[in-house]
Amino acid sequence: MTFSPSFNDRTDFDNATRGFIHALKPCIIRNSSGRVVWNNDEYGFLQDAECPATAEPKLWRQGQLNSIQGLFQVTDGIYQIRGFDLSNMTVVEGHKGVIVIDPLTSVECAAAALALYREHRGDRPVTGLIYSHSHVDHFGGAQGVLQQGTNTSIPIIAPEGFMAEATSENIYVGDAMRRRAGYMYGMRLPKGPDGHIGCGLGMMPSSGTMSLIPPNVSICHTGEKRTVDGIRIEFQMVPETEAPAEMNFYFPEHKALCIAECATHCLHNIITLRGALVRDAKAWARYLDETAVLYGQKSNVLFAGHNWPTWGQDEIVKFISEQRDLYTYLHDQTVRMMNIGLTGIEIAERFTLPPALQMAWHAQGFYGSVSHNVKGIYQRYLGWFDGNPAHLWEYPAAEAGQRYIDCMGGVDEVVRKARKYASEGDSRFAVTLLGHVIAAHPEHKESRLALASVYTKLAYGCENATWRNIYLSGAQDMHSPPPPDRPEPPKREYRAALSMEQLLTLLSVQLDGPKAATESFTIDLDLQEQKQSWRLILSNGALTYRIKTDHDRSIDTSGLRLTLTKKELVEILNGGGGIPENSSEGDVSLLFKLMRLVGASMPPASLL
């Protein structure tokens, strides 16, 4: 039996507007060249409007709530700016200035958020900065609140491991994840009742300038206490939950709990559609239980990096406890059904949450979904293979598609049958059939139009915002295919913030193995400021690397030895610098051969 939350319950609307001070009018934010990087006004069609046939009613309601923007008072001395990005920025007033929590995705939006706060609360300096976790929508706007040249001796606080995770997130498989994120967040979709209506956690990420100011204070254990600008803060470490490096924190004088992104007003992702390591649902639930014990009965208000706050001790404990039960149930029941022989797909089709969770608005699948989270938990334990020998060595999509077409009597017959299934209400199988045609014959116009129609129909019925965005983006591509990837390697951006190991890992995963298969050479990098030497070995299409050992030093087999700083190395790899004078021994052309093999931009000839 299925249950649904009550649309007569207006608590979320009361909480989403509680403490409202002022909105930004118009809520349009531009970068220095005038390009719009955020436009919340485009979602004006949602407010006070009945849900149309082109949207699922619960998701429409979530879009209405998330599109409310402006400056809000959370409690005395704590304010949030919401509706300026996918995430929220929080400002805590200290004795001399303000502590900023999670400065959004982009510099421009963070600056606009702080300006709105200052307009109504005074031009207070930033005296502290806190990153709750290692996702870019919670640190990317840092230079919008701490401009270059600002005194960065102020505490910039983050959980242990933050820099490693913040710099590696989206790096190794960044290109693939960015393509998926474009679909998941519906970045190209028009805003409107038949288009983009949000992402569940918020409306969408802003598209401005991203930055990263490294933290200078690391929080390492639960119960650690700090005083910033006269404000006492107690921290709870929650690693491997919604992010690999994450923490919650409590303000005793305010009786306010920041729960980072561990509990939001929708089901979150155990596995994301843009791609990422599968999260640990069991650890997530365990930390939520610890949060309830440590801070539940102490807190008068709970706020997070997304959505709106929750007020009242009883309501806070209920909220955290139900979120805990949600992730526990997902994990434990998936594992139970795995052990009786069901596959991930079979479990997802059978899975039903308990009635109280089905009726809780904050447990609805607006961002994460039960279906994909179940499959993510299955994947974490058992991987992609479902144990069926028939699935052990399947054809890739194009080859399988051609064989399905042959079996069914040709392309026209497959399209006819797909239309029949769609007309009978079986859109899921219609998509499967048409997907075979598109895989084998991507230019077939009739099947593209038919698939666009079915994608759109599926999108309009989706409770999950990211599913809706993916279906509508797919339909958009069927009508107007995106330009094909360029045949030449794309420009690579090598980031100075990466550790040497991360930087060299990035080089290794970008190496064109087939082209490099017959190359064999060694490059030594002596990094001056780090007093450390690395050996890069290219052989058999594989780039390996290690810190040089005494054995390496006793047998000097390198074809090139470079003595330089890490900054100089990054500039060379980014195509903007040459080898410093008198810093090389051996064949300099080996470095540029390596750069060509990893698709890096080459420096100007004058710098070689």
Side-chain angles (χ1 to χ4, degrees):
M1 183 179 294
T2 59
F3 300 84
S4 293
S6 171
F7 282 87
N8 292 325
D9 181 357
R10 302 290 293 178
T11 303
D12 286 338
F13 286 92
D14 293 340
N15 287 345
T17 55
R18 180 170 171 171
F20 174 74
I21 296 172
H22 203 273
L24 181 64
K25 297 180 181 179
C27 193
I28 300 173
I29 301 169
R30 301 177 185 271
N31 65 9
S32 58
S33 65
R35 180 177 65 84
V36 174
V37 301
W38 180 255
N39 186 349
N40 199 73
D41 290 358
E42 290 184 303
Y43 296 103
F45 65 88
L46 283 160
Q47 295 304 323
D48 301 320
E50 293 294 324
C51 179
T54 55
E56 197 278 335
K58 289 186 290 183
L59 181 59
W60 183 264
R61 175 188 183 274
Q62 187 76 352
Q64 290 179 319
L65 288 160
N66 281 327
S67 61
I68 298 169
Q69 61 90 3
L71 174 67
F72 301 82
Q73 184 180 41
V74 175
T75 190
D76 288 344
I78 299 181
Y79 297 81
Q80 276 194 324
I81 301 91
R82 301 198 289 270
F84 280 42
D85 207 315
L86 179 68
S87 51
N88 303 329
M89 190 171 96
T90 305
V91 176
V92 181
E93 295 178 347
H95 292 187
K96 297 180 180 178
V98 294
I99 305 162
V100 173
I101 301 170
D102 289 354
L104 308 180
T105 307
S106 61
V107 170
E108 296 86 353
C109 291
L114 185 58
L116 181 64
Y117 165 82
R118 285 173 168 166
E119 179 185 346
H120 296 278
R121 294 294 302 167
D123 190 11
R124 304 165 190 244
V126 175
T127 50
L129 182 60
I130 301 177
Y131 304 135
S132 67
H133 63 289
S134 52
H135 290 155
V136 69
D137 54 322
H138 298 266
F139 66 78
Q143 288 184 2
V145 297
L146 288 178
Q147 285 90 13
Q148 288 184 332
T150 301
N151 176 16
T152 54
S153 63
I154 69 169
I156 303 173
I157 303 173
E160 182 180 28
F162 171 87
M163 278 301 291
E165 298 300 338
T167 52
S168 65
E169 174 83 6
N170 301 347
I171 293 293
Y172 304 146
V173 289
D175 291 339
M177 291 176 75
R178 278 188 288 275
R179 284 194 294 271
R180 288 194 178 195
Y183 270 63
M184 175 178 173
Y185 293 116
M187 301 300 284
R188 296 191 301 124
L189 294 176
K191 281 66 173 179
D194 55 355
H196 196 276
I197 58 174
C199 295
L201 274 182
M203 300 318 293
M204 70 186 313
S206 62
S207 60
T209 307
M210 295 182 191
S211 64
L212 173 56
I213 301 176
N216 52 30
V217 177
S218 288
I219 302 301
C220 300
H221 63 268
T222 294
E224 192 167 341
K225 297 181 172 107
R226 296 274 173 170
T227 299
V228 180
D229 193 9
I231 303 299
R232 290 194 300 135
I233 313 171
E234 181 178 328
F235 296 89
Q236 179 199 13
M237 296 296 291
V238 290
E240 304 302 330
T241 53
E242 187 272 336
E246 189 152 357
M247 63 186 183
N248 301 329
F249 36 98
Y250 176 70
F251 297 89
E253 283 85 0
H254 303 78
K255 296 188 181 300
L257 171 63
C258 176
I259 203 162
E261 205 167 320
C262 292
T264 57
H265 285 278
C266 59
L267 173 61
H268 215 296
N269 286 308
I270 299 303
I271 185 169
T272 72
L273 298 179
R274 65 179 172 86
L277 297 176
V278 179
R279 293 156 183 174
D280 189 341
K282 194 67 169 175
W284 197 329
R286 186 171 61 250
Y287 282 120
L288 282 170
D289 187 62
E290 182 180 71
T291 305
V293 171
L294 290 175
Y295 307 116
Q297 295 296 339
K298 295 180 180 179
S299 301
N300 290 336
V301 63
L302 174 151
F303 62 93
H306 296 274
N307 308 130
W308 48 93
T310 299
W311 283 270
Q313 291 180 0
D314 292 344
E315 289 78 8
I316 289 169
V317 171
K318 183 174 187 288
F319 174 63
I320 297 174
S321 299
E322 288 181 342
Q323 287 274 304
R324 172 202 64 198
D325 294 347
L326 176 61
Y327 295 108
T328 300
Y329 194 89
L330 282 166
H331 175 275
D332 292 356
Q333 296 311 304
T334 298
V335 172
R336 179 182 67 83
M337 287 190 269
M338 285 163 47
N339 283 322
I340 63 175
L342 298 180
T343 68
I345 293 174
E346 291 168 339
I347 298 168
E349 291 297 306
R350 297 186 185 193
F351 207 97
T352 303
L353 291 172
L357 295 180
Q358 290 187 50
M359 293 187 291
W361 277 111
H362 64 84
Q364 303 302 302
F366 300 132
Y367 187 60
S369 67
V370 168
S371 177
H372 285 174
N373 283 347
V374 163
K375 294 167 190 172
I377 294 165
Y378 183 96
Q379 177 185 321
R380 182 178 177 91
Y381 287 105
L382 294 180
W384 65 269
F385 180 50
D386 64 3
N388 185 340
H391 300 153
L392 189 61
W393 190 30
E394 294 183 295
Y395 279 111
E399 294 189 43
Q402 187 57 61
R403 286 162 174 79
Y404 277 105
I405 290 168
D406 291 343
C407 289
M408 297 178 69
V411 170
D412 293 339
E413 181 60 16
V414 178
V415 174
R416 186 192 68 79
K417 288 180 177 176
R419 291 187 186 278
K420 179 175 180 293
Y421 277 103
S423 68
E424 293 172 351
D426 193 350
S427 296
R428 291 172 69 182
F429 191 62
V431 164
T432 299
L433 291 179
L434 292 167
H436 288 311
V437 178
I438 297 298
H441 302 285
E443 304 303 322
H444 190 264
K445 184 175 181 179
E446 185 180 355
S447 59
R448 295 183 74 88
L449 294 176
L451 187 53
S453 175
V454 183
Y455 278 159
T456 301
K457 184 176 180 181
L458 284 168
Y460 290 167
C462 280
E463 171 188 299
N464 185 281
T466 62
W467 287 33
R468 176 187 173 94
N469 292 337
I470 288 172
Y471 280 134
L472 289 178
S473 296
Q476 190 178 55
D477 286 352
M478 290 300 104
H479 287 295
S480 303
D485 290 338
R486 296 177 299 169
E488 70 272 19
K491 173 177 170 58
R492 304 293 186 186
E493 181 186 358
Y494 297 92
R495 302 182 185 179
L498 295 176
S499 69
M500 271 303 292
E501 186 159 6
Q502 289 173 331
L503 184 63
L504 296 179
T505 299
L506 181 56
L507 281 176
S508 72
V509 301
Q510 292 174 345
L511 180 75
D512 189 328
K515 285 185 179 179
T518 59
E519 299 287 351
S520 181
F521 55 84
T522 301
I523 298 174
D524 285 346
L525 302 173
D526 294 341
L527 301 180
Q528 293 173 316
E529 79 278 26
Q530 297 183 356
K531 296 181 180 179
Q532 196 176 63
S533 296
W534 290 79
R535 172 153 287 185
L536 281 65
I537 305 167
L538 180 65
S539 58
N540 298 310
L543 179 65
T544 56
Y545 50 86
R546 61 175 178 259
I547 294 176
K548 283 180 67 175
T549 64
D550 290 340
H551 175 74
D552 292 322
R553 293 186 178 91
S554 65
I555 305 175
D556 189 2
T557 59
S558 65
L560 171 65
R561 180 181 177 186
L562 294 175
T563 302
L564 71 178
T565 66
K566 182 187 166 194
K567 180 180 178 181
E568 289 169 338
L569 175 63
V570 170
E571 287 177 351
I572 292 170
L573 294 175
N574 282 331
I579 295 175
E581 190 174 350
N582 301 322
S583 67
S584 64
E585 297 177 18
D587 186 358
V588 175
S589 69
L590 294 178
L591 176 63
F592 301 106
K593 181 182 287 187
L594 176 61
M595 291 175 66
R596 284 191 291 269
L597 291 171
V598 299
S601 297
M602 299 296 290
S606 61
L607 297 177
L608 300 184

